[in-house]
Amino acid sequence: KQIGKGGQGIVYLALSYSSNQKVCIKKSPKNILSDKKGAMLMKRINHPNFPKIIDEYEDELFYYQVMEYINGQNLDLFFKRLSVLRPM
């Protein structure tokens, strides 16, 4: 099911058949090159607050990134509640 949407794509929650665990699948249009670069950076980050990229693939129109699912708060909602951190 869809759990997020933004300027760089749509994020879906799915169940991995191989591990029987929840995963996120981020679908981004191929014209967003920064998203592919971001995925390469995320692969090198090892931190509990960043999802690990499990797999990635592409078709003619989209990049897909399969990431571990971290159950937590939507970051947009989190920052909206903190008026001090809102951009001016």
Side-chain angles (χ1 to χ4, degrees), residues 1-82:
K1 73 177 184 175
Q2 182 176 322
I3 59 172
K5 185 175 182 177
Q8 293 193 342
I10 301 171
V11 179
Y12 299 94
L13 179 63
L15 184 64
S16 169
Y17 288 118
S18 60
S19 67
N20 202 33
Q21 294 182 343
K22 291 180 181 177
V23 295
C24 290
I25 301 173
K26 183 176 181 184
K27 177 183 172 183
S28 304
K30 276 197 164 182
N31 62 354
I32 300 178
L33 182 60
S34 64
D35 201 51
K36 190 169 185 175
K37 288 181 180 180
M40 289 189 297
L41 287 173
M42 282 181 63
K43 282 182 176 182
R44 299 185 339 198
I45 295 173
N46 185 13
H47 191 278
N49 293 337
F50 285 90
K52 291 178 181 52
I53 294 183
I54 299 167
D55 199 3
E56 57 186 322
Y57 55 97
E58 60 185 274
D59 62 19
E60 292 179 10
L61 301 175
F62 297 98
Y63 292 116
Y64 301 89
Q65 299 164 359
V66 181
M67 300 176 264
E68 73 174 323
Y69 173 67
I70 298 175
N71 188 12
Q73 189 176 40
N74 181 303
L75 289 178
D76 286 337
L77 296 175
F78 175 76
F79 286 120
K80 285 178 184 175
R81 291 184 188 140
L82 298 175

